[in-house]
mmCIF file of all heavy atoms in Angstrom:
data_model
loop_
_atom_site.group_PDB
_atom_site.id
_atom_site.type_symbol
_atom_site.label_atom_id
_atom_site.label_comp_id
_atom_site.label_asym_id
_atom_site.label_seq_id
_atom_site.Cartn_x
_atom_site.Cartn_y
_atom_site.Cartn_z
ATOM 1 N N ALA Y 194 75.995 123.311 75.101
ATOM 2 C CA ALA Y 194 75.092 123.896 73.944
ATOM 3 C C ALA Y 194 73.855 123.137 73.638
ATOM 4 O O ALA Y 194 72.758 123.531 73.373
ATOM 5 C CB ALA Y 194 76.017 124.259 72.821
ATOM 6 N N ALA Y 195 74.155 121.755 73.643
ATOM 7 C CA ALA Y 195 73.078 120.843 73.251
ATOM 8 C C ALA Y 195 71.953 120.868 74.372
ATOM 9 O O ALA Y 195 70.727 120.928 73.974
ATOM 10 C CB ALA Y 195 73.523 119.427 73.078
ATOM 11 N N ALA Y 196 72.342 120.898 75.648
ATOM 12 C CA ALA Y 196 71.506 120.830 76.746
ATOM 13 C C ALA Y 196 70.657 122.168 76.692
ATOM 14 O O ALA Y 196 69.435 122.222 76.925
ATOM 15 C CB ALA Y 196 72.338 120.730 78.008
ATOM 16 N N ASP Y 197 71.306 123.318 76.466
ATOM 17 C CA ASP Y 197 70.699 124.597 76.392
ATOM 18 C C ASP Y 197 69.664 124.558 75.241
ATOM 19 O O ASP Y 197 68.684 125.326 75.283
ATOM 20 C CB ASP Y 197 71.594 125.712 76.246
ATOM 21 C CG ASP Y 197 72.515 125.940 77.553
ATOM 22 O OD1 ASP Y 197 72.109 125.370 78.560
ATOM 23 O OD2 ASP Y 197 73.540 126.526 77.454
ATOM 24 N N ALA Y 198 69.951 123.735 74.245
ATOM 25 C CA ALA Y 198 69.079 123.878 73.018
ATOM 26 C C ALA Y 198 67.912 122.869 73.211
ATOM 27 O O ALA Y 198 67.102 122.617 72.237
ATOM 28 C CB ALA Y 198 69.820 123.584 71.867
ATOM 29 N N GLY Y 199 67.814 122.174 74.361
ATOM 30 C CA GLY Y 199 66.780 121.218 74.595
ATOM 31 C C GLY Y 199 66.977 119.764 74.276
ATOM 32 O O GLY Y 199 66.059 119.038 73.954
ATOM 33 N N ALA Y 200 68.330 119.244 74.204
ATOM 34 C CA ALA Y 200 68.555 117.988 73.766
ATOM 35 C C ALA Y 200 67.765 117.109 74.792
ATOM 36 O O ALA Y 200 67.809 117.186 76.023
ATOM 37 C CB ALA Y 200 69.994 117.697 73.926
ATOM 38 N N GLN Y 201 67.148 115.992 74.098
ATOM 39 C CA GLN Y 201 66.508 114.980 74.940
ATOM 40 C C GLN Y 201 67.334 113.942 75.588
ATOM 41 O O GLN Y 201 67.025 113.568 76.652
ATOM 42 C CB GLN Y 201 65.321 114.328 73.970
ATOM 43 C CG GLN Y 201 64.291 115.246 73.380
ATOM 44 C CD GLN Y 201 63.483 114.586 72.332
ATOM 45 O OE1 GLN Y 201 64.020 113.592 71.792
ATOM 46 N NE2 GLN Y 201 62.295 115.072 72.063
ATOM 47 N N ALA Y 202 68.361 113.497 74.675
ATOM 48 C CA ALA Y 202 69.071 112.480 74.967
ATOM 49 C C ALA Y 202 70.460 112.531 74.349
ATOM 50 O O ALA Y 202 70.549 113.284 73.245
ATOM 51 C CB ALA Y 202 68.595 110.956 74.558
ATOM 52 N N MET Y 203 71.606 112.176 75.026
ATOM 53 C CA MET Y 203 72.944 112.405 74.521
ATOM 54 C C MET Y 203 73.776 111.402 75.003
ATOM 55 O O MET Y 203 73.712 110.933 76.083
ATOM 56 C CB MET Y 203 73.293 113.822 74.855
ATOM 57 C CG MET Y 203 74.705 114.301 74.333
ATOM 58 S SD MET Y 203 74.958 116.052 74.151
ATOM 59 C CE MET Y 203 74.559 116.648 75.929
ATOM 60 N N THR Y 204 74.940 111.123 74.236
ATOM 61 C CA THR Y 204 75.966 110.275 74.553
ATOM 62 C C THR Y 204 77.222 110.633 73.740
ATOM 63 O O THR Y 204 77.110 111.356 72.768
ATOM 64 C CB THR Y 204 75.650 108.650 74.360
ATOM 65 O OG1 THR Y 204 76.639 107.977 75.014
ATOM 66 C CG2 THR Y 204 75.481 108.396 72.935
ATOM 67 N N ASP Y 205 78.448 110.196 74.189
ATOM 68 C CA ASP Y 205 79.580 110.498 73.416
ATOM 69 C C ASP Y 205 79.938 109.191 72.498
ATOM 70 O O ASP Y 205 79.372 108.091 72.905
ATOM 71 C CB ASP Y 205 80.751 110.916 74.182
ATOM 72 C CG ASP Y 205 81.461 109.724 74.944
ATOM 73 O OD1 ASP Y 205 80.830 108.916 75.517
ATOM 74 O OD2 ASP Y 205 82.650 109.539 74.832
ATOM 75 N N VAL Y 206 80.575 109.497 71.468
ATOM 76 C CA VAL Y 206 80.879 108.312 70.491
ATOM 77 C C VAL Y 206 82.295 107.831 70.748
ATOM 78 O O VAL Y 206 83.290 108.263 70.227
ATOM 79 C CB VAL Y 206 80.877 108.737 69.032
ATOM 80 C CG1 VAL Y 206 81.038 107.571 68.097
ATOM 81 C CG2 VAL Y 206 79.477 109.313 68.707
ATOM 82 N N SER Y 207 82.252 106.911 71.851
ATOM 83 C CA SER Y 207 83.530 106.192 72.260
ATOM 84 C C SER Y 207 83.766 104.927 71.647
ATOM 85 O O SER Y 207 84.763 104.401 71.333
ATOM 86 C CB SER Y 207 83.736 106.271 73.785
ATOM 87 O OG SER Y 207 82.634 105.722 74.337
ATOM 88 N N ASP Y 208 82.614 104.167 71.656
ATOM 89 C CA ASP Y 208 82.597 102.741 71.094
ATOM 90 C C ASP Y 208 82.374 102.750 69.645
ATOM 91 O O ASP Y 208 82.775 101.707 68.971
ATOM 92 C CB ASP Y 208 81.533 101.886 71.816
ATOM 93 C CG ASP Y 208 81.883 101.756 73.284
ATOM 94 O OD1 ASP Y 208 82.874 101.926 73.768
ATOM 95 O OD2 ASP Y 208 80.862 101.603 74.089
ATOM 96 N N GLY Y 209 81.667 103.673 69.075
ATOM 97 C CA GLY Y 209 81.282 103.652 67.627
ATOM 98 C C GLY Y 209 79.884 104.219 67.533
ATOM 99 O O GLY Y 209 79.123 104.009 68.469
ATOM 100 N N LEU Y 210 79.548 104.864 66.460
ATOM 101 C CA LEU Y 210 78.337 105.537 66.247
ATOM 102 C C LEU Y 210 77.081 104.509 66.487
ATOM 103 O O LEU Y 210 76.185 104.914 67.245
ATOM 104 C CB LEU Y 210 78.222 106.230 64.959
ATOM 105 C CG LEU Y 210 76.853 106.920 64.666
ATOM 106 C CD1 LEU Y 210 76.755 108.148 65.590
ATOM 107 C CD2 LEU Y 210 76.756 107.388 63.173
ATOM 108 N N ILE Y 211 77.166 103.422 65.787
ATOM 109 C CA ILE Y 211 76.081 102.476 65.835
ATOM 110 C C ILE Y 211 76.008 101.864 67.183
ATOM 111 O O ILE Y 211 74.933 101.700 67.745
ATOM 112 C CB ILE Y 211 76.286 101.250 64.766
ATOM 113 C CG1 ILE Y 211 76.287 101.904 63.366
ATOM 114 C CG2 ILE Y 211 75.122 100.330 64.939
ATOM 115 C CD1 ILE Y 211 74.971 102.477 63.104
ATOM 116 N N ALA Y 212 77.211 101.509 67.828
ATOM 117 C CA ALA Y 212 77.080 100.940 69.197
ATOM 118 C C ALA Y 212 76.657 102.025 70.241
ATOM 119 O O ALA Y 212 75.745 101.573 71.100
ATOM 120 C CB ALA Y 212 78.596 100.538 69.595
ATOM 121 N N ASP Y 213 77.032 103.116 70.060
ATOM 122 C CA ASP Y 213 76.643 104.165 71.097
ATOM 123 C C ASP Y 213 75.235 104.541 70.987
ATOM 124 O O ASP Y 213 74.469 104.726 71.903
ATOM 125 C CB ASP Y 213 77.661 105.372 71.159
ATOM 126 C CG ASP Y 213 78.946 105.055 71.725
ATOM 127 O OD1 ASP Y 213 78.955 104.457 72.901
ATOM 128 O OD2 ASP Y 213 80.008 105.183 71.154
ATOM 129 N N LEU Y 214 74.747 104.710 69.668
ATOM 130 C CA LEU Y 214 73.388 104.929 69.514
ATOM 131 C C LEU Y 214 72.573 103.677 69.864
ATOM 132 O O LEU Y 214 71.321 103.939 70.215
ATOM 133 C CB LEU Y 214 73.070 105.149 67.861
ATOM 134 C CG LEU Y 214 73.404 106.641 67.365
ATOM 135 C CD1 LEU Y 214 73.225 106.746 65.939
ATOM 136 C CD2 LEU Y 214 72.585 107.638 68.123
ATOM 137 N N GLY Y 215 73.069 102.624 69.864
ATOM 138 C CA GLY Y 215 72.355 101.394 70.342
ATOM 139 C C GLY Y 215 72.055 101.456 71.752
ATOM 140 O O GLY Y 215 71.071 101.127 72.357
ATOM 141 N N HIS Y 216 73.116 102.065 72.620
ATOM 142 C CA HIS Y 216 72.940 102.303 74.022
ATOM 143 C C HIS Y 216 71.862 103.274 74.259
ATOM 144 O O HIS Y 216 70.965 103.104 75.148
ATOM 145 C CB HIS Y 216 74.208 102.816 74.627
ATOM 146 C CG HIS Y 216 75.310 101.916 74.440
ATOM 147 N ND1 HIS Y 216 75.227 100.551 74.490
ATOM 148 C CD2 HIS Y 216 76.741 102.098 74.175
ATOM 149 C CE1 HIS Y 216 76.560 99.971 74.326
ATOM 150 N NE2 HIS Y 216 77.345 101.005 74.204
ATOM 151 N N LEU Y 217 71.792 104.321 73.451
ATOM 152 C CA LEU Y 217 70.739 105.324 73.565
ATOM 153 C C LEU Y 217 69.346 104.795 73.107
ATOM 154 O O LEU Y 217 68.397 105.068 73.959
ATOM 155 C CB LEU Y 217 71.153 106.500 72.709
ATOM 156 C CG LEU Y 217 70.373 107.826 72.828
ATOM 157 C CD1 LEU Y 217 71.183 109.024 72.531
ATOM 158 C CD2 LEU Y 217 69.042 107.834 71.790
ATOM 159 N N ALA Y 218 69.297 104.019 72.128
ATOM 160 C CA ALA Y 218 68.051 103.415 71.723
ATOM 161 C C ALA Y 218 67.515 102.452 72.763
ATOM 162 O O ALA Y 218 66.219 102.487 73.072
ATOM 163 C CB ALA Y 218 68.249 102.680 70.398
ATOM 164 N N ALA Y 219 68.519 101.731 73.399
ATOM 165 C CA ALA Y 219 67.966 100.741 74.463
ATOM 166 C C ALA Y 219 67.373 101.517 75.615
ATOM 167 O O ALA Y 219 66.415 101.103 76.248
ATOM 168 C CB ALA Y 219 69.115 99.795 74.693
ATOM 169 N N ALA Y 220 68.144 102.513 76.108
ATOM 170 C CA ALA Y 220 67.823 103.221 77.159
ATOM 171 C C ALA Y 220 66.597 104.021 77.073
ATOM 172 O O ALA Y 220 65.617 104.201 77.893
ATOM 173 C CB ALA Y 220 68.848 104.140 77.743
ATOM 174 N N SER Y 221 66.327 104.508 75.761
ATOM 175 C CA SER Y 221 65.061 105.254 75.505
ATOM 176 C C SER Y 221 63.854 104.361 74.952
ATOM 177 O O SER Y 221 62.666 104.888 74.759
ATOM 178 C CB SER Y 221 65.308 106.298 74.370
ATOM 179 O OG SER Y 221 66.312 107.284 74.863
ATOM 180 N N LYS Y 222 64.274 103.181 74.625
ATOM 181 C CA LYS Y 222 63.175 102.255 74.017
ATOM 182 C C LYS Y 222 62.493 102.765 72.768
ATOM 183 O O LYS Y 222 61.247 102.741 72.589
ATOM 184 C CB LYS Y 222 62.079 101.973 75.126
ATOM 185 C CG LYS Y 222 62.660 101.313 76.359
ATOM 186 C CD LYS Y 222 61.513 101.010 77.347
ATOM 187 C CE LYS Y 222 61.986 100.217 78.554
ATOM 188 N NZ LYS Y 222 63.042 100.971 79.385
ATOM 189 N N VAL Y 223 63.528 103.128 71.772
ATOM 190 C CA VAL Y 223 63.037 103.627 70.530
ATOM 191 C C VAL Y 223 63.891 103.066 69.413
ATOM 192 O O VAL Y 223 64.951 102.477 69.725
ATOM 193 C CB VAL Y 223 63.188 105.212 70.480
ATOM 194 C CG1 VAL Y 223 62.213 105.921 71.565
ATOM 195 C CG2 VAL Y 223 64.580 105.638 70.804
ATOM 196 N N THR Y 224 63.377 103.336 68.183
ATOM 197 C CA THR Y 224 64.264 102.925 67.102
ATOM 198 C C THR Y 224 64.967 104.247 66.565
ATOM 199 O O THR Y 224 64.348 105.331 66.559
ATOM 200 C CB THR Y 224 63.272 102.400 65.948
ATOM 201 O OG1 THR Y 224 62.893 101.169 66.273
ATOM 202 C CG2 THR Y 224 64.127 102.303 64.542
ATOM 203 N N VAL Y 225 66.212 104.280 66.319
ATOM 204 C CA VAL Y 225 66.988 105.300 65.892
ATOM 205 C C VAL Y 225 67.387 105.012 64.374
ATOM 206 O O VAL Y 225 67.985 103.927 64.015
ATOM 207 C CB VAL Y 225 68.263 105.452 66.667
ATOM 208 C CG1 VAL Y 225 69.183 106.578 65.946
ATOM 209 C CG2 VAL Y 225 67.999 105.881 68.132
ATOM 210 N N GLU Y 226 67.055 105.943 63.473
ATOM 211 C CA GLU Y 226 67.341 105.722 61.987
ATOM 212 C C GLU Y 226 68.308 106.820 61.649
ATOM 213 O O GLU Y 226 68.233 108.036 61.889
ATOM 214 C CB GLU Y 226 66.005 105.989 61.302
ATOM 215 C CG GLU Y 226 64.885 105.083 61.593
ATOM 216 C CD GLU Y 226 63.627 105.310 60.826
ATOM 217 O OE1 GLU Y 226 63.590 106.323 60.164
ATOM 218 O OE2 GLU Y 226 62.655 104.435 60.932
ATOM 219 N N VAL Y 227 69.421 106.243 60.976
ATOM 220 C CA VAL Y 227 70.620 107.050 60.567
ATOM 221 C C VAL Y 227 70.651 107.026 58.975
ATOM 222 O O VAL Y 227 70.409 106.007 58.371
ATOM 223 C CB VAL Y 227 71.890 106.421 61.089
ATOM 224 C CG1 VAL Y 227 73.087 107.179 60.579
ATOM 225 C CG2 VAL Y 227 71.869 106.610 62.735
#
Side-chain angles (χ1 to χ4, degrees):
D197 291 340
Q201 300 170 331
M203 183 160 49
T204 188
D205 79 310
V206 183
S207 55
D208 296 332
L210 181 65
I211 299 300
D213 288 310
L214 280 176
H216 301 323
L217 188 151
S221 297
K222 299 179 175 60
V223 295
T224 292
V225 175
E226 299 178 350
V227 174

